[in-house]
């Protein structure tokens, strides 16, 4: 019932089309049920009695019923197509809107490939099921009930013969649907895996070619593809059993009716026209049962897809703005107060444990630590990309959970470790930082990020970056991402290892330009000591805890971890990243 309510809710303005389509189907069905009665009358009262006027009149009525049924059928097709396509568009729009509201922890619950499948394949299954089953779903029961009543009206003995086969067909349909329904769930899961393999291989196509691993990824895709083919074959092989079972029942019933009806004609208790009309109803009833069985099979698959779509729409965002949220961040001060964090509540260990330190507004703070020490996780708490498990994070003197999420994230510019550029021109990507930015503002931001050094070579602000920024190098991507963040005019700027692809000289120029922004609090995560040596304070993280804090000179004099990093990178003359 929840799945049905979900569909009804998202029909929206297309409910009228669905209702009109249903009305057209009922009218079409009624007209088709009238035709056998007219045909029986033509045979018994017209042909047998040689009444040509009755034949022409009843024949004209049959023709008129057929034409009207055709028109109603065309009207149904148009209305149902609009309703189905509208429902699909509404579901996709709703899913996409919900995903945009998800926090990082919500997104951790769904694989990207699964979300793609739920927005494309699953919605298409629902659309196809509606288009293919809407007419049979209304027409089948109508034909079945009205056909049985009219068949009983024409001949009760023959109707009883037909009713004998109904229980057998009902049991067969139940068994087939009961067996096939779980297989559709498995089938959509395998489709997720196929999309996952495609996404990963296409995203990493350059690495695949660089390592000459085309054969390996082809074999991996072939394995998933074969698994999908095998699962689909097993699923539909079971589903098609429905057709031969119903055809066997139909033909056996027809043989029985013809045998009994023939004997009744010989005995004079049944007329030929009545038997002809009755057989027409038999075929309509059996056809309606075939429709109903196909509807059950289509709905079994569609309900699986509706349930998968419903899982996305039922996912509640773990991060929401409070009712009386603060709408303005006073300044760029940041404070961590006894913060502990783990990605899942049932996790055994914290990623961060008892973190406490303060950053005054306008200061520059460097964060160093080994791989997996929690550096990226730490700064994601500032923009409230995740909520702390224990303690609190304050920005501008207030708990980040007291702010409206939009206003908080507008005040905190984050350049994440994985740089993302979107398909389009440089201008299009920079406008993500500030949709109202002028060309002068964009060029100034590019100058601060040292992106102006290569901007002319790629066509200026209108230069095409290609899909995902493939037309620029890793270092150029990083500088454009920094420029985009600067256009937000944030009060806090977080650079999560965002200059790792730059050479030392360019890195130094970017740091020097950022130092001139006194009004912005700058938090720099880096692997290179040289990137944070001039910071007002340096925080050393070790296994999710604050190991030490201080200036470069203090840490170099007293902290063994910092001394080791310094000696490995600078003291020995190596200006690379720590290993």
């Amino acid at each position: 019932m929840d799945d049905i309510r979900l569909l009804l809710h998202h029909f929206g303005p297309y409910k009228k089309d669905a209702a009109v389509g249903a009305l057209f189907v009922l009218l079409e069905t009624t007209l088709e049920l009238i035709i056998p009665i007219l045909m029986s009358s033509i045979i018994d009262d017209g042909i047998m009695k040689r009444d040509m006027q009755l034949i022409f009149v009843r024949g004209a009525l049959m023709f008129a019923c057929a034409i009207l049924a055709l028109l109603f059928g065309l009207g149904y097709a148009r209305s149902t197509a609009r309703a189905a396509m509208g429902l699909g568009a509404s579901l996709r729009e709703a899913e996409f809107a919900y995903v945009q509201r998800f926090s990082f922890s919500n997104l951790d619950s769904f694989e990207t490939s699964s979300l793609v499948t739920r927005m494309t394949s699953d919605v298409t299954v629902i659309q196809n099921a509606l288009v293919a089953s809407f007419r049979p779903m209304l027409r089948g029961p109508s034909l079945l009930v009205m056909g049985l009543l009219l068949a009983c009206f024409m001949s009760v003995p023959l109707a009883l013969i037909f009713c004998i086969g109904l229980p057998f067909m009902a049991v067969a349909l139940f068994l087939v649907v009961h067996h096939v329904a779980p297989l559709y769930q498995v089938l959509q899961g395998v489709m997720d895996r196929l999309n996952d393999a495609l996404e990963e291989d296409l995203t990493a196509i350059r690495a695949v070619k660089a390592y000459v691993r085309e054969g390996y990824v082809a074999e991996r895709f072939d394995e998933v593809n074969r698994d999908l083919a095998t699962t689909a074959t097993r699923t539909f092989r079971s589903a098609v059993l429905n057709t031969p079972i119903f055809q066997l029942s139909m033909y056996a019933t027809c043989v029985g009716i013809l045998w009994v009806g023939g004997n009744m004609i010989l005995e004079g208790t049944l007329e030929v026209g009545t038997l002809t009309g009755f057989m027409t109803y038999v075929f309509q009833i059996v056809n309606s049962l075939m429709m109903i069985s196909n509807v059950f099979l289509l709905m079994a698959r569609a309900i699986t897809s509706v349930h998968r779509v419903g899982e996305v729409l039922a996912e509640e965002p773990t991060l929401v703005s409070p009712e009386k949220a603060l709408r303005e961040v006073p300044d760029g001060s940041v404070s961590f107060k006894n913060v502990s964090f783990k990605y899942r509540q049932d996790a055994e260990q914290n990623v961060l444990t008892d973190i406490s330190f303060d950053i005054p507004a306008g200061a520059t703070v460097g964060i160093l630590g080994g791989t997996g020490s929690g550096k990226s996780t730490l700064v994601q708490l500032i923009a409230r990309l995740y909520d702390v498990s224990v303690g609190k994070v304050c920005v501008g003197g207030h708990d980040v959970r007291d702010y409206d999420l939009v206003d908080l994230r507008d005040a905190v510019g984050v350049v994440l470790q994985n740089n993302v550029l979107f398909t389009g021109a440089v201008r299009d990507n920079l406008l993500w930082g500030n949709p109202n930015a002028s060309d002068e503002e964009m060029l100034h931001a590019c100058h601060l990020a040292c992106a102006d050094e290569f901007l002319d070579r790629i066509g200026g602000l209108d230069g095409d970056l290609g899909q995902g920024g493939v037309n620029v190098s890793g270092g150029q991507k990083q500088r454009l991402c920094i420029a985009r963040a600067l256009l937000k005019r944030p009060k806090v700027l977080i650079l999560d290892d965002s200059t790792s692809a730059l050479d030392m000289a360019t890195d130094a120029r970017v740091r020097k330009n950022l130092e001139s922004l006194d009004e912005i609090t700058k938090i720099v995560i880096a692997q290179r000591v040289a990137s944070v040596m001039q910071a007002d304070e340096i925080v050393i993280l070790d296994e999710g805890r604050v190991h030490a804090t201080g200036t470069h000179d203090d840490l170099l004099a007293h902290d063994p971890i910092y001394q080791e990093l310094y000696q490995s990178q600078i003291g020995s003359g190596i200006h690379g990243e720590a290993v």
Side-chain angles (χ1 to χ4, degrees):
M1 292 303 298
D2 290 338
D3 295 330
I4 294 174
R5 281 194 291 268
L6 174 69
L7 291 180
L8 292 176
H9 174 71
H10 284 92
F11 262 117
Y14 298 98
K15 289 179 182 177
K16 179 181 177 181
D17 292 291
V20 171
L23 177 62
F24 284 155
V25 170
L26 293 176
L27 292 173
E28 178 193 17
T29 303
T30 302
L31 290 170
E32 289 186 1
L33 287 169
I34 294 173
I35 291 175
I37 297 176
L38 296 173
M39 183 175 63
S40 174
S41 177
I42 289 174
I43 295 174
D44 291 338
D45 301 328
I47 296 176
M48 300 301 290
K49 296 179 181 180
R50 300 181 183 279
D51 188 343
M52 297 303 296
Q53 182 179 0
L54 185 143
I55 292 173
F56 282 121
V57 172
R58 301 289 169 82
L61 287 174
M62 286 181 62
F63 182 74
C65 287
I67 293 297
L68 287 174
L70 173 64
L71 293 176
F72 285 134
L74 292 174
Y76 145 79
R78 182 178 182 276
S79 299
T80 307
R82 280 175 52 87
M85 298 306 109
L87 173 63
S90 177
L91 287 174
R92 280 191 294 268
E93 184 178 355
E95 281 191 89
F96 186 81
Y98 266 69
V99 170
Q100 300 309 305
R101 293 169 50 199
F102 285 174
S103 66
F104 281 19
S105 57
N106 287 121
L107 293 172
D108 292 341
S109 303
F110 297 95
E111 292 185 0
T112 303
S113 58
S114 180
L115 288 174
V116 171
T117 304
R118 292 167 198 251
M119 291 188 196
T120 53
S121 176
D122 283 311
V123 172
T124 301
V125 167
I126 296 170
Q127 286 179 318
N128 292 341
L130 182 60
V131 170
S133 66
F134 190 83
R135 184 171 182 262
M137 185 166 51
L138 296 173
R139 178 183 170 86
S142 301
L143 279 175
L144 177 61
V145 174
M146 296 175 69
L148 282 172
L149 291 175
L150 292 171
C152 290
F153 171 75
M154 298 185 75
S155 176
V156 174
L158 294 181
L160 291 175
I161 295 174
F162 180 78
C163 291
I164 294 174
L166 286 179
F168 174 75
M169 287 185 278
V171 171
L173 175 61
F174 172 78
L175 293 176
V176 170
V177 172
H178 185 265
H179 177 68
V180 168
L183 296 179
Y184 283 128
Q185 183 75 31
V186 177
L187 181 64
Q188 293 304 108
V190 178
M191 184 70 73
D192 286 346
R193 290 173 49 205
L194 180 74
N195 284 339
D196 186 42
L198 274 173
E199 179 196 9
E200 189 174 73
D201 294 344
L202 292 176
T203 302
I205 189 65
R206 285 169 173 75
V208 171
K209 291 185 176 299
Y211 286 91
V212 197
R213 299 287 283 174
E214 292 90 344
Y216 169 74
V217 296
E219 289 178 4
R220 186 175 62 172
F221 178 79
D222 187 51
E223 180 182 349
V224 178
N225 194 37
R226 281 199 309 269
D227 191 14
L228 176 61
T230 302
T231 305
T233 301
R234 184 173 66 253
T235 301
F236 294 115
R237 182 173 57 202
S238 301
V240 297
L241 289 175
N242 171 66
T243 301
I245 291 173
F246 269 71
Q247 286 180 338
L248 175 63
S249 303
M250 178 184 69
Y251 294 137
T253 303
C254 290
V255 170
I257 291 173
L258 288 172
W259 183 69
V260 174
N263 288 328
M264 292 176 68
I265 291 173
L266 292 175
E267 294 172 358
T269 58
L270 187 70
E271 295 183 356
V272 175
T274 302
L275 179 61
T276 304
F278 188 90
M279 288 303 299
T280 302
Y281 282 124
V282 167
F283 283 116
Q284 285 187 346
I285 292 169
V286 173
N287 185 43
S288 71
L289 289 172
M290 291 289 292
M291 289 181 188
I292 293 172
S293 67
N294 289 330
V295 166
F296 273 102
L297 291 173
L298 286 170
M299 294 308 294
R301 185 177 186 187
I303 288 299
T304 298
S305 293
V306 172
H307 183 67
R308 284 163 53 85
V309 170
E311 287 178 341
V312 177
L313 300 180
E315 181 80 7
E316 290 293 334
T318 57
L319 300 181
V320 294
S321 300
E323 290 185 4
K324 297 181 179 179
L326 299 175
R327 304 303 301 267
E328 184 177 352
V329 179
D331 56 54
S333 61
V334 177
S335 297
F336 284 80
K337 298 182 179 180
N338 306 114
V339 170
S340 295
F341 173 78
K342 51 186 175 182
Y343 286 101
R344 297 187 311 176
Q345 293 301 317
D346 58 350
E348 295 183 0
Q349 293 184 338
N350 290 328
V351 178
L352 298 172
T353 303
D354 197 24
I355 303 292
S356 295
F357 62 87
D358 298 319
I359 303 174
T364 300
V365 173
I367 300 178
L368 292 177
T371 302
S373 59
K375 302 186 299 297
S376 296
T377 302
L378 181 75
V379 295
Q380 287 175 0
L381 300 178
I382 299 174
R384 206 188 169 198
L385 300 177
Y386 290 97
D387 264 345
V388 299
S389 303
V390 178
K392 65 178 181 178
V393 178
C394 296
V395 174
H398 298 280
D399 193 324
V400 293
R401 290 169 292 193
D402 294 336
Y403 287 107
D404 179 82
L405 278 172
V406 174
D407 293 300
L408 172 66
R409 291 172 183 173
D410 273 342
V412 180
V414 183
V415 184
L416 294 172
Q417 194 169 11
N418 296 322
N419 299 283
V420 176
L421 293 176
F422 298 92
T423 302
V426 173
R427 183 192 309 277
D428 299 328
N429 278 270
L430 293 179
L431 289 175
W432 278 71
N434 180 3
N436 300 316
S438 64
D439 286 2
E440 291 74 16
E441 289 174 320
M442 286 187 276
L443 290 172
H444 179 64
C446 288
H447 171 71
L448 292 175
C450 294
D452 57 339
E453 298 176 1
F454 62 86
L455 204 57
D456 290 338
R457 297 198 301 271
I458 63 173
L461 293 176
D462 295 314
D464 183 27
L465 296 175
Q467 184 176 5
V470 296
N471 293 340
V472 291
S473 67
Q476 291 170 336
K477 275 187 182 181
Q478 288 185 333
R479 283 180 276 178
L480 287 173
C481 288
I482 294 173
R484 182 173 61 189
L486 289 173
L487 280 170
K488 292 180 67 175
R489 296 177 180 173
K491 290 183 169 62
V492 180
L493 178 64
I494 298 172
L495 303 178
D496 186 358
D497 208 13
S498 303
T499 60
S500 58
L502 303 182
D503 60 82
M504 296 295 291
T506 305
D507 183 16
R509 289 198 298 274
V510 171
R511 284 188 282 110
K512 183 178 179 180
N513 290 341
L514 294 180
E515 286 174 6
S516 64
L517 305 175
D518 297 331
E519 71 282 4
I520 297 177
T521 302
K522 296 166 283 294
I523 301 175
V524 181
I525 296 177
Q527 296 286 348
R528 292 189 294 221
V529 172
S531 298
V532 298
M533 284 174 56
Q534 305 303 320
D536 299 316
E537 186 176 30
I538 300 172
V539 178
I540 307 294
L541 289 183
D542 184 33
E543 296 184 353
R545 297 176 180 271
V546 174
H547 171 74
T549 61
T551 64
H552 165 71
D553 293 334
D554 293 337
L555 293 173
L556 188 60
H558 303 103
D559 186 70
I561 293 181
Y562 190 80
Q563 291 169 353
E564 182 180 352
L565 289 172
Y566 182 85
Q567 289 298 325
S568 64
Q569 297 177 29
I570 298 176
S572 59
I574 300 175
H575 295 268
E577 291 186 6
V579 179

